[in-house]
């Protein structure tokens, strides 16, 4: 494994001890339907959507987003992508996001580095900046490769908040454990347990536990 891959994986795993802090916890339910279309042998357009249902207590709001990706294969191991996303926060401030992403596949190791620009309504048009490194593994569980197990950890590193005085630094940790099943050449189903921890100053961390159901169509 290359040094940058080891660093990404190590940084994600080092963040896990933060879960021992005092937390405010809740159960959520997330859905993630997506459709992707091959534009040529190396280029794909993907429409990603999500519906995240949360408790209304303590400022938690339901979230819905629509995200359009253009993804380009640059080598057998790497894929580069860019996206525009519109995010609706029920009862909160909606957001427009743009993002750039580099995905890596190195044997059983999976890596992802995402850079986000965030524009939140009602905050004077200030752009927030965030980096999200993620690392994990994917293992086949069946001889035909249709069933696989995956797990990963992701850091949310805020470089600039969407409001003056907003939190910066490591502001979140997301961990996932999942099973994925390839139903056919163009349909995948994925069931995931997801733990999302928002790190807050002078307040208990906010933690959401979510079953995450993914349905991916490709053409």
């Amino acid at each position: 494994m290359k040094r940058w891959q080891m660093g990404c994986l190590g940084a994600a795993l080092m963040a896990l001890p933060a879960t021992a802090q005092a937390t405010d916890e809740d159960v959520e339910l997330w859905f993630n339907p997506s459709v992707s279309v091959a534009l040529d042998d190396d280029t794909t357009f993907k429409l990603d959507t999500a519906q995240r249902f949360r408790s209304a207590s303590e400022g938690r709001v339901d979230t819905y987003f629509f995200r359009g990706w253009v993804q380009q294969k640059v080598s057998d191991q790497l894929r580069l992508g860019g996206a525009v996303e519109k995010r609706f926060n029920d009862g909160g401030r909606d957001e427009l996001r743009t993002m750039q992403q580099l995905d890596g596949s190195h044997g059983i190791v999976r890596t992802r580095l995402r850079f986000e620009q965030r524009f939140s309504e009602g905050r004077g048009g200030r752009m927030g900046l965030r980096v999200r490194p993620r690392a994990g593994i994917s293992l086949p569980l069946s001889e035909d490769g249709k069933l696989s197990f995956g797990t990963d950890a992701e850091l949310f590193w805020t470089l600039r908040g969407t409001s003056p005085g907003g939190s910066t630094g490591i502001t979140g940790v997301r961990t996932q454990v999942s099973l994925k099943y390839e139903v056919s050449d163009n349909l995948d189903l994925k069931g995931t347990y997801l733990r999302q921890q928002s790190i807050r100053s002078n307040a208990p961390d906010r933690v959401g536990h979510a079953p995450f159901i993914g349905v991916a169509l490709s053409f």
Side-chain angles (χ1 to χ4, degrees):
M1 190 185 305
K2 297 180 181 179
R3 288 186 178 180
W4 73 270
Q5 298 165 11
M6 295 177 64
C8 187
L9 180 59
L13 296 178
M14 286 174 62
L16 298 182
T19 61
Q21 300 173 0
T23 57
D24 171 21
E25 306 201 21
D26 203 0
V27 176
E28 308 173 1
L29 178 61
W30 294 18
F31 293 100
N32 181 210
S34 66
V35 178
S36 58
V37 178
L39 303 180
D40 59 36
D41 290 343
D42 297 323
T43 310
T44 302
F45 173 78
K46 181 178 181 182
L47 177 62
D48 223 354
T49 72
Q51 302 80 43
R52 300 175 179 176
F53 302 104
R54 301 178 168 105
S55 167
S57 63
E58 297 296 327
R60 293 181 172 92
V61 297
D62 293 346
T63 297
Y64 314 89
F65 73 67
F66 299 89
R67 179 190 299 156
W69 283 99
V70 175
Q71 299 171 320
Q72 177 74 33
K73 181 180 178 181
V74 294
S75 74
D76 290 340
Q77 293 80 33
L78 297 174
R79 185 175 58 179
L80 186 65
V84 177
E85 173 190 303
K86 179 62 178 179
R87 181 172 294 245
F88 302 93
N89 296 309
D90 190 12
R93 293 183 174 91
D94 296 341
E95 279 192 29
L96 177 68
R97 296 183 183 180
T98 57
M99 57 194 70
Q100 304 79 42
Q101 181 169 299
L102 182 65
D103 291 277
S105 176
H106 320 275
I108 66 169
V109 176
R110 300 291 182 268
T111 58
R112 190 184 80 181
L113 182 62
R114 177 181 293 178
F115 184 47
E116 294 180 330
Q117 301 82 45
R118 305 170 62 201
F119 304 88
S120 183
E121 288 185 358
R123 297 189 176 182
R126 175 178 168 126
M127 179 178 67
L129 298 173
R130 189 164 65 183
V131 178
R132 294 170 53 177
R134 187 175 82 179
I137 61 172
S138 178
L139 297 170
L141 296 181
S142 61
E143 292 185 3
D144 58 9
K146 290 182 178 293
L147 180 65
S148 61
F149 165 83
T151 184
D152 59 62
E154 180 176 13
L155 297 181
F156 290 71
W157 181 15
T158 301
L159 305 177
R160 186 174 191 259
T162 55
S163 61
S167 297
T168 57
I170 303 301
T171 54
V173 181
R174 178 180 293 174
T175 51
Q176 302 182 85
V177 178
S178 63
L179 289 174
K180 180 180 176 181
Y181 182 67
E182 183 182 327
V183 178
S184 66
D185 290 342
N186 62 350
L187 176 62
D188 292 339
L189 299 179
K190 189 174 183 179
T192 301
Y193 162 70
L194 180 148
R195 185 184 189 278
Q196 174 77 43
Q197 179 168 352
S198 298
I199 299 171
R200 302 190 292 175
S201 300
N202 303 316
D205 289 354
R206 180 174 291 162
V207 174
H209 303 273
F212 186 114
I213 300 170
V215 180
L217 282 170
S218 59
F219 300 96

